[in-house]
Amino acid sequence: MTRILIDCDPGLDDAVALLAACHSPLLDVVAITTVAGNVGGAQTAQNGRIIRTLADSEDIPVHAGAPRPILRDPVTAEDFHGTTGLGGLDVPEPSAPLSPTHAVNALIEHCRAAKSDLLTLVMTGPMTNMALALTMAPDIMEGISEIVLMGGADREGGNITPFAEFNIYADPHAAAAVFGCGLPIRCLSLDVTHTLRTTKDRLSQVRAVDTSQADYAAAFLEASCKLEFSAKGRRDAPLHDPSTVIALAYPHLFEGRRAHVSVVTQEGEQFGRTIPHFADDGPVLWYDKADVEGVFKALCAMLEGAA
Ligand code: BDR
Ligand code: CA
């Protein structure tokens, strides 16, 4: 069982990632930290609590984090997630409260406590919390075995500008700090997530899984497809954030190349662009290929609670 902390900005696809991770026997989610991103910080924290309730995982603490990026003006992605971040779907009131500990302090505490049993950090939103934690307490790197993140784009081009992917564009300075920190990173960029399309058949496979987590995941994926259609004119929304936890639980489904990754932090048309410099000694495994059917089967297995 891999011990993970999930730093996220829920978000419809973050929600599916959280449901899959919390229900999978292969992963042990020790905490959820939230950050402003798809919607504002108060709403992502509220959504973190809601999804924890849907996941039947009230024992996992949810910590609210940075309400804005480090330097740039805040940007959000309501076009793809709705004004609530959860596609306007009917969701229950969360039962457990937020933890009183700020996400950045929680990250620091969990990493420091993990020294004998290293922690994997999963990041599915702007990387503000981790950049702040690394700045406040660089020693936390000793407690982290690797970072698995969704963000960036190379051959695919961007999804928020022609060059930039949303999570990086929303806080490029934070992303530069994380990509440059030297820890091993596995990166699920648009180069691979754009191949993971939620077709009708794949959505039906998720819907057929007989757990409440799968029912909610199917509803979130369906809402994602509807919003993708309004925003981009195609219905089969990419499976962005769940790819992180699937790659962790089932690494054989993905292939990539090692790279050093730099981030364009200078304002201009390439602001927020990621540039992988491919080299065998790079700290980043830049995934660019996946067994697509295998990935959706793995998602179903996780939502079913199977190994
Ligand atoms: C990423 O941006 C967000 O809108 C999604 O939740 C995902 O993390 C995809 O570019
Ligand atoms: Ca996200």
Side-chain angles (χ1 to χ4, degrees):
M1 226 193 201
T2 308
R3 294 176 67 241
I4 66 174
L5 183 151
I6 305 183
D7 186 53
C8 55
D9 64 335
L12 288 164
D13 58 334
D14 302 78
V16 177
L18 286 167
L19 288 168
C22 291
H23 205 47
S24 171
L26 301 174
L27 304 176
D28 173 17
V29 183
V30 302
I32 297 166
T33 54
T34 61
V35 64
N38 285 321
V39 287
Q43 190 67 49
T44 56
Q46 170 77 354
N47 291 348
R49 291 174 58 213
I50 291 171
I51 298 150
R52 170 179 62 180
T53 298
L54 302 183
D56 202 12
S57 300
E58 302 293 13
D59 52 320
I60 301 174
V62 175
H63 307 266
R68 51 154 297 127
I70 291 175
L71 279 180
R72 64 151 307 147
D73 290 339
V75 275
T76 49
E78 278 94 354
D79 285 359
F80 295 92
H81 301 271
T83 47
T84 62
L86 294 179
L89 294 177
D90 244 351
V91 282
E93 278 297 304
S95 31
L98 268 182
S99 161
T101 309
H102 191 281
V104 175
N105 291 323
L107 263 166
I108 293 171
E109 284 168 18
H110 276 284
C111 295
R112 283 189 172 152
K115 279 188 183 144
S116 57
D117 187 6
L118 297 186
L119 195 62
T120 295
L121 200 58
V122 174
M123 300 175 65
T124 63
M127 304 182 205
T128 321
N129 288 336
M130 182 54 177
L132 292 169
L134 281 169
T135 308
M136 280 169 67
D139 62 287
I140 61 171
M141 294 211 290
E142 289 164 37
I144 300 172
S145 62
E146 64 169 335
I147 297 174
V148 183
L149 65 87
M150 191 281 135
D154 181 35
R155 67 165 190 232
E156 270 300 296
N159 60 358
I160 181 98
T161 75
F163 294 97
E165 179 280 327
F166 177 78
N167 288 340
I168 311 295
Y169 184 74
D171 197 340
H173 306 93
V178 172
F179 276 114
C181 77
L183 281 169
I185 293 178
R186 285 197 259 160
C187 180
L188 286 298
S189 76
L190 300 183
D191 293 0
V192 69
T193 64
H194 274 181
T195 70
L196 305 172
R197 294 280 171 178
T198 312
T199 58
K200 261 188 171 175
D201 277 3
R202 294 171 188 149
L203 182 56
S204 305
Q205 285 171 36
V206 175
R207 210 177 273 122
V209 176
D210 191 17
T211 60
S212 63
Q213 287 83 359
D215 292 344
Y216 281 113
F220 291 141
L221 290 173
E222 191 176 3
S224 223
C225 289
K226 283 191 183 141
L227 289 163
E228 184 81 9
F229 184 66
S230 326
K232 298 244 164 167
R234 60 182 292 185
R235 267 179 214 288
D236 48 357
L239 194 72
H240 295 298
D241 293 343
S243 67
T244 54
V245 292
I246 297 169
L248 251 175
Y250 303 90
H252 64 280
L253 296 172
F254 296 84
E255 280 175 41
R257 285 188 289 160
R258 305 218 68 86
H260 298 268
V261 175
S262 56
V263 179
V264 177
T265 54
Q266 225 169 354
E267 287 191 34
E269 62 169 7
Q270 301 204 9
F271 188 54
R273 178 181 182 181
T274 44
I275 307 176
H277 309 272
F278 294 103
D280 290 345
D281 66 345
V284 180
L285 178 56
W286 184 272
Y287 285 127
D288 54 11
K289 209 170 162 202
D291 166 356
V292 182
E293 297 307 332
V295 165
F296 277 85
K297 282 204 177 75
L299 176 64
C300 291
M302 293 174 86
L303 291 166
E304 196 182 348

